[in-house]
Amino acid sequence: MQGPVDRSRRRFILRTGVGLLAAAGMPAWVRAMEMQGMAKLAPNRASPGFRPDVELELAARQGAVSILPGEATRVQHYAARLASGPKETLADLPGSYLGPIIRLQKGQKVRIRFRNELMEPTITHWHGLHVPAQMDGHPMYAIDPGETFVHEFEVLNRAGLNIYHPHPHEITAKQVYYGLAGGLIVNDEEEARLELPSGEYEIPIVLQDRRFNAQNQLIYGPHMHDRMMGFYGDRILVNGRPNAEFEVASRAYRLRFLNGSNARIYKLGWSDGTPLTVIGVDGGLLESPETFPYAMLAPGERLDIWADFSGRPKGAELTLRSLPFSGALPGMAGHMMGGMGMMGAMALPVGGDYPLFTIRVTRETSDSPKLPSRLSKIGRYTLGDVANPDKPVPIAISGGPMAMRLNGRSYAFNDVQPGERIPVDTVQLLEIFHAHGGGHGGHSMGGMGHGMGHGMRGRMMGMMGGGHGSESPQEGPGMGMMFSMAHPIHLHGQQFQIISRTVAADRAGDYATVKDGLVTGGWKDTVLVMPGERVRIIKPFRNFKGVFMYHCHNLEHEDMGMMRDFLIE
Ligand code: C2O
Ligand code: CU
């Protein structure tokens, strides 16, 4: 089989120097294979020394599920079987194409035998989990149809909701769109002591948008416009189901949101204006609950919401809506989507006002848990903790019709730049910002993170804009500004803390429509970077050497190349 990924893997191996692989802490078998001139990475096998507490068999396969009335919808989906370990490890979402919720305990050793039963290459990534590089689902490990890749890792994460989804080169968006995704919950003792709502009172809520044709089949054929803006559906699915409703008792619930959409950003708000009580984010519980008038949720992000329906009478209804906001898409596209009716987008414009699901109280009870005032302990990082307080590692966002870039480069295997090499067991300051308009020459941002101060980098970027022409003629500074849009930036590996967000004065108007819903506390692995925004984060790079991706979680952007590797060495 000679798919695109297969060729990429060949390229990866052929172009990779032994020295780099050794530095990356690559497994010995990779080096051995390379020495023998074998072109293809063999899938990882079970290691005899690893004693799993939990063993799962996971498959990506094709199937059909009834979503809309009438014909069943052809999907790709994860199916899992528990080979050994606690029964509560797997919980199906009834009637859904989504994979079962995988529930793990911190400290557990987990072996997952992942089998590709699709017709194309794939590999699975554990979004949010801190696992060794070769277990992380990097596209270079994509396996062919019929192959099995064995993932083995210990759960180092604290309690939180994570995601498993495919990560093959340039076809991630399509595979996720056709149904390959699932939630992975980690529990720990700190969380257990709080006795938060659990069982039927803890509800996973995976938000996605999809387009269907008249035969109930999923439509995914991104035109250039879709690739630029992201692919948007014209209807919302919650846990894979349309017109979602939840029947509840009049008491407190824990709603665990995961934005599994390819590109759509939500502004969550209750229909009656009740504030949202946020108790956790991507990387688990906040230190204490925080209330927001609404909360933003970008692709790849999670929110843990305390929803108390106490005192609401039987029959009461409440809707969770996505509320209006602006600025997520470029001005021109926003108008096109709203006014000219780009396919599918008119029904649900990005930043429009539309319902997500309905809550209906069907049982009254006076017995409800109380919201704890303290949730968890989080050691807050400061600049005093980082190795590079004066020279943040840059993540510069730029893009145009032909390519999407980070730090001036589109994704390529084995293309780690000097600025993307991070010493293991360090804590680093990173800065994510838009490089539109300031120019982005496409060459060698390398070294900047470690070598230069802030002002110096600014001058360099100006020079690069004037100097090394951009790779695409359409992408001058003017175009760059025009394509300035929101990007959810995701970093693999250990989770991070957001330490500051600032926005350019000329984008403050749009920013005002989202800023009160940006939850910046807690541990994060994905952060929504609005147009004109500059976000500083502190991230530890502990335990594992090797190649870890960072990319836009607008999956069309990711597949267009808005992805890079950090080499932790
Ligand atoms: Cu959720 Cu690299 O992805
Ligand atoms: Cu993006």
Side-chain angles (χ1 to χ4, degrees), residues 341-355:
M342 290 302 295
M343 189 177 158
M346 208 153 72
L348 284 182
V350 177
D353 186 2
Y354 50 88

Side-chain angles (χ1 to χ4, degrees), residues 364-494:
E364 289 184 27
T365 168
S366 54
D367 173 33
S368 178
K370 291 260 163 324
L371 176 63
S373 57
R374 299 282 308 164
L375 295 167
S376 75
K377 259 199 101 46
I378 292 178
R380 290 294 300 177
Y381 281 128
T382 67
L383 285 182
D385 299 313
V386 305
N388 58 338
D390 306 318
K391 36 184 200 276
V393 176
I395 299 182
I397 301 165
S398 66
M402 304 314 287
M404 300 297 246
R405 300 190 178 92
L406 292 175
N407 290 337
R409 301 176 82 85
S410 283
Y411 189 73
F413 282 124
N414 191 26
D415 185 39
V416 175
Q417 297 300 299
E420 295 173 324
R421 304 175 80 134
I422 310 251
V424 70
D425 292 327
T426 58
V427 178
Q428 299 276 335
L429 175 67
L430 297 92
E431 187 169 54
I432 314 170
F433 56 96
H434 297 261
H436 304 288
H440 30 78
H443 299 290
S444 188
M445 289 280 295
M448 287 184 182
H450 301 292
M452 284 175 211
H454 200 105
M456 179 70 173
R457 191 175 60 251
R459 285 197 295 283
M460 265 295 283
M461 294 211 31
M463 278 159 49
M464 283 164 57
H468 318 249
S470 117
E471 283 161 38
S472 110
Q474 289 94 323
E475 202 184 331
M479 282 305 261
M481 283 310 251
M482 205 151 79
F483 285 103
S484 179
M485 60 180 286
H487 300 274
I489 302 297
H490 170 51
L491 284 75
H492 286 219
Q494 240 171 330

Side-chain angles (χ1 to χ4, degrees), residues 12 82 288 363 480 537:
F12 180 85
L82 183 65
S288 47
R363 184 162 62 85
I537 64 174

Side-chain angles (χ1 to χ4, degrees), residues 125 127 163 165-167 300 490 492 549 551 553 555 558 563:
H125 166 55
H127 176 132
I163 317 169
H165 67 73
H167 223 305
H490 170 51
H492 286 219
M549 291 170 277
H551 60 87
H553 220 282
L555 298 181
E558 174 187 333
M563 177 160 87

